[in-house]
């Protein structure tokens, strides 16, 4: 798994690629927390290059989303693959997140 | 082809991706679809992670996890054994999937996923070991050992279930029939994804081309296909002149041809 973070004017963009599994999920959680602790609460998580995600990855995303929302921010998801979308659906999370087909739309939504 | 594959890993998260890969590969090898193999992979990660985090680490224990994949009549079975203290997951509460985000517990989804992803799931504490038995149904899975089909040519099976045959010399009107028989024997044995390795084929006649064409039709009708690898210049010319190069995937290397077959 690889994570890259870019700070934009209103939004922090977090692009993830590879496998988000029980081994790598902690790293994703740490990256998200680092942003939240720095006061960045408008987050876009770009999942277009994530080929696989398990419940361990969802756990980190849910926990970060709860934190930013309680401070008035949001975590929005950009371009998940069908496989990732299926897992979000299975967890009943698809309706709880704003999901955008492209990164540009997700960033522009803030 | 073996009808059972076994993998033992040290119960640590670092080894789980390899175990997932093993299960995914076994699922495909034994005839499950890509989507079903995805589901088996995810279910395996969820259960192994549970064992490691709640079975071993929480009790300060170290141990192994044993995974057995089997082909049954019309079903693929994954059995996962571990030596952590007895833990019956069937008593776990179902997560509330309609709760708003603020009420969501971040965890607790793993067992729910396993039940949703697999067709049957059964837990037992057997001979002092936690034993989880999961199956996925698919009519393509056969419990019968596949007999090694007769072939005048060398043949082998790759890890992803693709069959490779390696004819050599001239495939002309005489040897062409032998070639056709060899391809048919593979198809009848249930191998419908075949790579023909042609680096030592010096010549192919229309009889050979016809044999490949008819095998291609049969393989595709079964959801598979024939791909060709490592053609010499001369043989490649025959395919290009006859237009047969549009009917087959032609690759430089065997693994590349096998990937094209999925």
């Amino acid at each position: 798994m690889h994570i890259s973070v870019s700070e934009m004017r209103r939004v922090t963009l977090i692009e993830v690629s590879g496998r988000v599994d029980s081994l790598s999920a902690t790293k994703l959680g740490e990256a998200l927390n680092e942003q939240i602790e720095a006061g960045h609460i408008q987050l876009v998580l770009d999942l277009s290059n994530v080929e696989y995600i398990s419940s361990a990855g969802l756990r980190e995303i849910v926990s970060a989303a709860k934190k930013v929302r309680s401070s008035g921010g949001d975590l929005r998801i950009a371009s998940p693959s069908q496989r990732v979308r299926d897992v979000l659906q299975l967890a009943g999370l698809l309706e709880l997140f704003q999901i955008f087909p492209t990164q540009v739309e997700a960033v522009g939504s803030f | 082809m073996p009808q059972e594959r076994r993998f033992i890993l040290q119960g640590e998260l670092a080894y789980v991706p390899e175990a997932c890969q093993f299960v995914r590969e076994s699922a495909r090898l034994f005839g499950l679809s890509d989507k079903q193999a995805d589901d088996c992979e995810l279910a395996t990660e969820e259960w192994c992670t549970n064992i490691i985090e709640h079975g071993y680490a929480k009790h300060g224990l170290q141990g192994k996890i044993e995974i057995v994949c089997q082909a049954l009549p019309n079903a693929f079975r994954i059995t996962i054994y571990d030596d952590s203290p007895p833990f019956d997951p069937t008593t776990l509460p179902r997560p509330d999937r309609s709760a708003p985000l603020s009420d969501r517990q971040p965890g607790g989804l793993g067992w729910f996923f396993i039940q949703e992803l697999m067709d049957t799931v059964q837990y037992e504490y057997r001979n002092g070991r936690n034993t989880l038995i999961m199956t996925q149904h698919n009519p393509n899975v056969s419990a019968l050992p596949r007999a090694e089909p007769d072939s005048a040519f060398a043949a082998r099976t790759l890890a992803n279930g693709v069959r490779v045959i390696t004819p050599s010399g001239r495939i002309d009107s005489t040897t062409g029939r032998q070639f056709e028989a060899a391809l048919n024997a593979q198809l009848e044995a249930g191998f419908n994804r075949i790579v023909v390795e042609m680096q030592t084929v010096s010549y192919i006649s229309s009889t050979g081309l016809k044999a490949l064409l008819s095998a291609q039709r049969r393989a595709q009708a079964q959801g598979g296909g024939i791909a060709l690898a490592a053609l010499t210049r001369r043989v490649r010319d025959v395919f290009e002149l006859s237009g047969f190069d549009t009917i087959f995937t032609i690759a430089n290397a065997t693994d590349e041809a096998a990937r094209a077959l999925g």
Side-chain angles (χ1 to χ4, degrees), chain B residues 117-191:
Chain B
L117 294 167
M118 302 301 288
D119 289 331
T120 70
V121 182
Q122 194 189 335
Y123 167 83
E124 287 172 23
Y125 192 72
R126 191 198 280 173
N127 305 323
R129 308 179 91 187
N130 290 299
T131 306
L132 190 75
I133 306 159
M134 313 185 275
T135 63
Q136 200 76 296
H137 298 301
N138 188 313
N140 285 338
V141 184
S142 165
L144 296 174
R146 287 181 182 178
E148 194 61 19
D150 284 338
S151 171
F153 309 109
R156 65 183 195 276
T157 307
L158 303 179
N160 60 1
V162 170
R163 189 74 167 164
V164 180
I165 74 165
T166 312
S168 62
R170 291 172 59 87
I171 304 180
D172 54 23
S173 52
T174 316
T175 56
R177 270 187 280 281
Q178 230 178 29
F179 181 53
E180 184 166 15
L183 287 168
N184 282 334
Q186 304 303 327
L187 289 162
E188 273 150 30
F191 295 107

Side-chain angles (χ1 to χ4, degrees), chain A residues 19 21-23 52-56 58-59 62-63 65-66 69 83 86-87 89-93 96-97, chain B residues 13-14 17 20 24 35 38 41-42 45-46 49 53 97 99 101-102 104 106-107 109-110 112-113 116-117:
Chain A
R19 285 176 71 88
D21 56 19
S22 53
L23 182 61
Y52 173 94
I53 191 164
S54 67
S55 70
L58 298 184
R59 186 158 63 197
V62 166
S63 132
K66 284 169 82 162
R69 283 190 194 173
R83 190 176 183 191
D86 287 347
V87 177
Q89 165 83 47
L90 192 58
L93 291 172
L96 299 185
F97 283 93
Chain B
L13 292 181
C20 290
R24 193 192 159 74
K35 172 75 173 85
D38 284 353
E41 178 183 10
L42 185 51
E45 186 199 312
E46 297 297 351
T49 302
E53 291 182 343
R97 288 164 71 250
L101 192 74
S102 53
R104 288 298 181 102
L109 280 170
F112 171 76
F113 275 12
E116 293 293 313
L117 294 167

Side-chain angles (χ1 to χ4, degrees), chain B:
Chain B
M1 182 182 301
Q3 297 306 295
E4 183 175 302
R5 302 176 88 215
R6 190 175 298 263
F7 187 90
I8 296 174
L9 63 143
Q10 190 62 39
E12 290 169 29
L13 292 181
Y15 300 102
V16 174
E18 211 181 322
C20 290
Q21 179 60 29
F22 162 79
V23 168
R24 193 192 159 74
E25 208 175 86
S26 306
R28 291 293 282 144
L29 185 64
F30 289 156
L32 293 193
S33 69
D34 244 337
K35 172 75 173 85
Q36 286 181 310
D38 284 353
D39 292 349
C40 290
E41 178 183 10
L42 185 51
T44 301
E45 186 199 312
E46 297 297 351
W47 187 244
C48 288
T49 302
N50 251 9
I51 294 170
I52 294 165
E53 291 182 343
H54 302 293
Y56 288 134
K58 198 157 87 183
H59 297 95
L61 297 169
Q62 286 192 327
K64 292 194 187 321
I65 298 173
E66 182 178 354
I67 304 177
V68 179
C69 292
Q70 290 166 298
L72 307 178
N74 306 317
F76 173 70
R77 178 158 75 193
I78 309 167
T79 310
I80 305 181
Y81 304 94
D82 71 87
D83 305 307
S84 70
F87 174 69
D88 182 353
T90 58
T91 59
L92 288 171
R94 269 176 96 80
D96 181 1
R97 288 164 71 250
S98 58
L101 192 74
S102 53
D103 297 344
R104 288 298 181 102
Q105 296 304 314
L109 280 170
W111 173 244
F112 171 76
F113 275 12
I114 293 169
Q115 290 167 287
E116 293 293 313
L117 294 167
M118 302 301 288
D119 289 331
T120 70
V121 182
Q122 194 189 335
Y123 167 83
E124 287 172 23
Y125 192 72
R126 191 198 280 173
N127 305 323
R129 308 179 91 187
N130 290 299
T131 306
L132 190 75
I133 306 159
M134 313 185 275
T135 63
Q136 200 76 296
H137 298 301
N138 188 313
N140 285 338
V141 184
S142 165
L144 296 174
R146 287 181 182 178
E148 194 61 19
D150 284 338
S151 171
F153 309 109
R156 65 183 195 276
T157 307
L158 303 179
N160 60 1
V162 170
R163 189 74 167 164
V164 180
I165 74 165
T166 312
S168 62
R170 291 172 59 87
I171 304 180
D172 54 23
S173 52
T174 316
T175 56
R177 270 187 280 281
Q178 230 178 29
F179 181 53
E180 184 166 15
L183 287 168
N184 282 334
Q186 304 303 327
L187 289 162
E188 273 150 30
F191 295 107
N192 55 30
R193 293 179 298 148
I194 302 172
V195 173
V196 184
E197 259 178 356
M198 308 196 54
Q199 67 269 29
T200 55
V201 172
S202 54
Y203 170 84
I204 186 161
S205 74
S206 62
T207 312
L209 293 181
K210 267 187 258 169
L212 280 170
L213 178 62
S214 105
Q216 176 72 309
R217 288 194 179 133
R218 282 184 68 179
Q220 286 177 343
Q222 295 172 22
I226 310 282
L228 312 175
L231 280 63
T232 62
R233 186 68 251 171
R234 185 172 178 198
V235 168
R236 187 183 273 268
D237 285 345
V238 175
F239 277 86
E240 282 169 9
L241 286 171
S242 61
F244 271 55
D245 58 334
T246 61
I247 300 171
F248 300 93
T249 297
I250 298 181
N252 291 325
T254 301
D255 55 348
E256 195 186 323
R259 271 200 302 277
L261 294 173

